[in-house]
């Protein structure tokens, strides 16, 4: 059977509705349902002159196998009118309700995967709701002890030991348990979701030149190296600690299935340079399959017809492929 995938349409004033409608024009070997405000999607389709027929449904069971140019919508209304490009704090809780509904459908087994369009963190926080991002929010909602952010651009995969932290807070967050647990989740989900039987992982050091033997910081030798030594002793394939400025050269990348970076801007600039607009964000460590775009809400492009849907389509393609593979006989999800 084709997998069932729900699409969170994200911040309604951003490009989430635009790219969801655009992606719906293509064929997909899945049963798809967008979750969002049907009226917002219909208005955006008219504004963009997109020939997409919307069908409002009440339950995921009502969704049909996807047909190009059609989109089933699980209606989740906004409290206030939506204008493309204009944020509205009165809709913040409704935006999170969209995400909650997608999450619950996956947790209940009604959907096999969720694909998320971008949210706008600031407007949610301005509404008085503490929110640091999809990754942390979904972990809390699903009871996951430690989520791991993984971004993919073709064959390049970059995971993060820490995510949305100020740079000044990163060194204290790099502990042996943190690095060990992140490495464990990354390895497990490379097997689980990507079908890599025995992955090799390259691990970046924290400091320049991976600490230069302790002359440029102690974390590499005292914290990261012991974790990697134990992983190797357990039979796992890990390289490092690697100096981050050389970890992404072709010689290293040919040897590994993923790179584990210590902080957000150590790994993601390389990944986004390699595949911005077509890269995919995957949250590891969750009991559900979630893929996402690699970009923000692009308020200036919302409703203009200039938004690029490549990252959403790549995220949707990976979600469908992974859900299909893990549902195959003999594969465990």
């Amino acid at each position: 059977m084709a997998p069932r995938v729900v699409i969170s349409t994200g911040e309604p004033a951003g490009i989430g509705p635009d790219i969801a409608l655009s992606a719906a024009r293509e064929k997909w070997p899945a049963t798809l349902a967008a979750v969002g405000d049907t009226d917002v999607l219909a208005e955006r389709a008219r504004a963009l002159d997109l020939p997409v027929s919307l069908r409002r449904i009440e339950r995921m069971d009502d969704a049909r196998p996807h047909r190009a140019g059609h989109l089933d919508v699980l209606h989740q209304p906004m409290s206030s009118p939506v204008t493309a490009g204009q944020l509205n704090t009165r809709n913040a809780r409704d935006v999170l309700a969209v995400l909650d509904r997608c999450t619950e459908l996956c947790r209940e087994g009604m959907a096999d995967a969720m694909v998320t369009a971008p949210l706008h963190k600031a407007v949610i926080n301005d509404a008085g709701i503490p929110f640091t991002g999809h990754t942390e929010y979904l972990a809390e909602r699903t009871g996951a002890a430690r989520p791991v952010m993984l971004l993919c651009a073709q064959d390049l995969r970059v995971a993060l030991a820490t995510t949305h932290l100020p740079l000044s807070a990163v060194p204290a967050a790099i502990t042996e348990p943190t690095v060990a647990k992140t490495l464990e989740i990354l390895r497990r989900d490379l097997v689980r979701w990507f079908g890599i039987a025995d992955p090799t992982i390259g691990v970046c050091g924290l400091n320049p030149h991976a600490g230069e033997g302790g002359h440029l910081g102690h974390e590499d030798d005292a914290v990261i190296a012991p974790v990697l030594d134990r992983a190797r002793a357990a039979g796992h394939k890990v390289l490092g600690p690697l100096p981050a400025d050389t970890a992404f050269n072709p010689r290293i990348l040919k040897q590994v299935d993923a790179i584990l970076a210590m902080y957000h801007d150590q790994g993601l600039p390389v990944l986004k340079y390699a595949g911005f607009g077509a890269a995919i964000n995957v949250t590891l460590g969750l009991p559900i399959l979630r893929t996402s775009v690699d970009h923000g809400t692009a308020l200036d492009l919302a409703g203009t017809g200039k938004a690029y849907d490549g990252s959403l389509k790549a995220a949707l393609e990976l979600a469908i492929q992974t859900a299909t593979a893990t549902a195959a006989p003999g594969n465990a999800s």
Side-chain angles (χ1 to χ4, degrees):
M1 294 179 62
R4 299 159 298 175
V5 179
V6 286
I7 302 172
S8 164
T9 50
E11 166 55 52
I15 63 171
D18 307 41
I19 58 180
L21 290 163
S22 181
R25 294 183 300 169
E26 299 195 8
K27 294 181 180 180
W28 297 101
T31 294
L32 300 182
V35 180
D37 191 311
T38 311
D39 295 332
V40 170
L41 288 166
E43 182 179 341
R44 198 68 58 87
R46 286 192 296 270
L48 297 174
D49 195 25
L50 289 176
V52 178
S53 175
L54 302 177
R55 186 174 74 108
R56 179 170 168 173
I57 61 175
E58 301 301 324
R59 304 176 305 151
M60 192 64 191
D61 281 344
D62 297 328
R64 300 179 296 197
H66 182 69
R67 294 180 296 152
H70 298 261
L71 184 60
D72 288 337
V73 182
L74 288 160
H75 183 57
Q76 194 73 37
M78 297 295 113
S79 296
S80 296
V82 173
T83 301
Q86 297 182 20
L87 297 171
N88 188 338
T89 56
R90 291 188 293 274
N91 288 329
R93 293 191 184 278
D94 305 312
V95 171
L96 290 180
V98 169
L99 189 57
D100 290 343
R101 191 168 183 184
C102 291
T103 304
E104 288 309 306
L105 287 167
C106 290
R107 293 191 71 187
E108 294 167 359
M110 300 303 297
D112 301 303
M114 63 186 291
V115 177
T116 57
L119 296 179
H120 198 285
K121 298 173 192 174
V123 73
I124 297 172
N125 283 287
D126 288 345
I129 307 168
F131 183 80
T132 56
H134 271 109
T135 300
E136 298 84 357
Y137 187 84
L138 290 172
E140 180 181 352
R141 286 291 176 177
T142 60
R146 180 167 186 80
V148 173
M149 182 184 293
L150 174 74
L151 272 85
C152 311
Q154 299 178 351
D155 292 333
L156 177 61
R157 304 181 187 92
V158 179
L160 303 178
T162 62
T163 52
H164 300 118
L165 288 179
L167 192 56
S168 60
V170 169
I174 301 299
T175 65
E176 287 194 41
T178 294
V179 177
K181 188 62 177 178
T182 304
L183 188 61
E184 175 192 338
I185 292 170
L186 175 56
R187 185 183 184 280
R188 183 197 69 195
D189 283 1
L190 286 172
V191 176
R192 179 189 187 194
W193 296 127
F194 292 87
I196 302 171
D198 190 15
T200 300
I201 299 170
V203 181
C204 292
L206 174 65
N207 297 294
H209 303 170
E212 195 82 67
H215 295 287
L216 292 176
H218 70 280
E219 294 89 353
D220 307 277
D221 290 340
V223 178
I224 301 171
V227 173
L228 304 192
D229 288 341
R230 289 194 294 271
R232 282 187 281 263
H236 302 319
K237 298 176 181 177
V238 293
L239 306 181
L242 301 170
D245 62 346
T246 57
F248 294 93
N249 74 61
R251 181 182 64 82
I252 297 293
L253 293 180
K254 286 179 181 178
Q255 301 176 54
V256 302
D257 298 293
I259 292 284
L260 175 58
M262 290 298 107
Y263 56 93
H264 189 281
D265 284 8
Q266 184 183 64
L268 296 197
V270 179
L271 186 288
K272 293 194 175 186
Y273 175 78
F276 189 76
I280 308 161
N281 186 345
V282 185
T283 305
L284 307 181
L286 302 179
I288 62 175
L289 174 59
R290 178 254 175 167
T291 67
S292 185
V293 297
D294 71 337
H295 55 73
T297 53
L299 296 170
D300 58 324
L301 299 180
T304 67
K306 297 179 181 179
Y308 179 60
D309 63 1
S311 184
L312 183 73
K313 289 194 291 189
L316 185 53
E317 182 177 12
L318 179 61
I320 292 170
Q321 289 176 349
T322 304
T324 300
T326 54
N331 290 336
S333 61

